[in-house]
Amino acid sequence: NAGVTQTPKFQVLKTGQSMTLQCAQDMNHNSMYWYRQDPGMGLRLIYYSASEGTTDKGEVPNGYNVSRLNKREFSLRLESAAPSQTSVYFCASRGTGTGLSYNSPLHFGNGTRLTVT
Amino acid sequence: RKEVEQDPGPFNVPEGATVAFNCTYSNSASQSFFWYRQDCRKEPKLLMSVYSSGNEDGRFTAQLNRASQYISLLIRDSKLSDSATYLCVANRGSTLGRLYFGRGTQLTVWP
């Protein structure tokens, strides 16, 4: 029962390098999310995908791109990493079916700890 | 004004104490609410969904007051293992869209 799987768990990048954070869920969830968490800032939404085929910006989308590859997978790409993107990144998913699925809680992956030097 | 606001604490309580956290939300269209717990350097984990009539799960009780737009979490008989950060979350409207997180309330339970 894997739930939400994120890779990699840790990553160190140099300024200007690019990378893609991978996320996959096996719960048949409709919606997927990418958050970053910094000390004292709480969780901030980067991008989300309410359903397969759609993506929307969150609070802090600058410097990131996303791809909802299929219903299971939602990747986050940093095209040109900056030290300000040093953070812990969490992927999450929620919601099956229709109707009252907004009552569905988020399920989080274990996180990716990214350092940009 | 942030969509969801919490007292950041920290709350420091002895084992066995009862502690309550409050959380306010600004958007009256919010339909569903959750409490998450987050341990240091770990992912948030669902503690409770909050239902309109209030709900209880063992030592934990969640209440929702729509008129005043606040949610509360009560922890009775605190354990050392309850030490964590507690996050309040609101879902706006009736879609599977954004959820809004408070910044969290830090709790330390001491022996």
Side-chain angles (χ1 to χ4, degrees):
Chain A
N1 190 10
V4 179
T5 303
Q6 287 183 238
T7 55
K9 290 193 186 321
F10 301 93
Q11 184 71 48
V12 179
L13 292 177
K14 293 190 187 320
T15 297
Q17 287 184 317
S18 62
M19 79 162 293
T20 299
L21 281 64
Q22 307 286 355
C23 176
Q25 51 89 10
D26 62 3
M27 295 173 283
N28 199 35
H29 283 165
N30 294 315
S31 300
M32 297 185 74
Y33 304 76
W34 277 106
Y35 290 90
R36 62 177 287 174
Q37 188 172 36
D38 304 291
M41 297 297 293
L43 281 158
R44 292 186 291 171
L45 182 64
I46 305 171
Y47 271 94
Y48 69 103
S49 171
S51 61
E52 189 179 356
T54 68
T55 60
D56 286 285
K57 294 179 180 179
E59 297 172 74
V60 288
N62 291 344
Y64 304 96
N65 285 301
V66 290
S67 295
R68 184 75 183 265
L69 304 167
N70 47 55
K71 191 170 186 179
R72 289 187 64 247
E73 298 172 286
F74 188 40
S75 62
L76 178 72
R77 182 159 179 84
L78 286 71
E79 289 292 351
S80 178
S84 60
Q85 293 178 306
T86 293
S87 189
V88 180
Y89 292 84
F90 290 106
C91 178
S93 68
R94 71 192 284 241
T96 57
T98 57
L100 294 178
S101 52
Y102 60 82
N103 284 331
S104 172
L106 278 171
H107 298 257
F108 284 87
N110 291 339
T112 295
R113 282 152 185 77
L114 175 67
T115 301
V116 184
T117 61
Chain B
R1 182 183 173 191
K2 278 186 67 69
E3 189 97 7
V4 175
E5 301 212 50
Q6 294 181 249
D7 181 345
F11 285 67
N12 297 302
V13 303
E15 266 188 300
T18 295
V19 61
F21 307 138
N22 286 330
C23 165
T24 58
Y25 60 95
S26 61
N27 194 313
S28 59
S30 295
Q31 291 286 346
S32 53
F33 307 90
F34 310 93
W35 282 102
Y36 279 76
R37 119 177 224 148
Q38 186 174 26
D39 295 293
C40 189
R41 297 178 65 78
K42 300 279 193 178
E43 74 275 19
K45 292 189 176 174
L46 179 69
L47 180 65
M48 298 178 75
S49 299
V50 185
Y51 302 120
S52 57
S53 57
N55 47 300
E56 187 173 311
D57 182 3
R59 298 182 293 109
F60 300 87
T61 300
Q63 299 245 308
L64 168 62
N65 184 320
R66 287 193 186 274
S68 301
Q69 294 184 204
Y70 79 80
I71 309 121
S72 64
L73 177 68
L74 183 77
I75 305 175
R76 289 181 298 278
D77 189 23
S78 298
K79 311 291 185 192
L80 296 176
S81 58
D82 293 335
S83 297
T85 297
Y86 291 83
L87 303 170
C88 174
V89 186
N91 184 108
R92 183 192 290 184
S94 58
T95 63
L96 276 175
R98 289 184 62 168
L99 294 104
Y100 293 86
F101 280 79
R103 291 193 179 182
T105 298
Q106 188 179 342
L107 172 67
T108 300
V109 181
W110 46 273

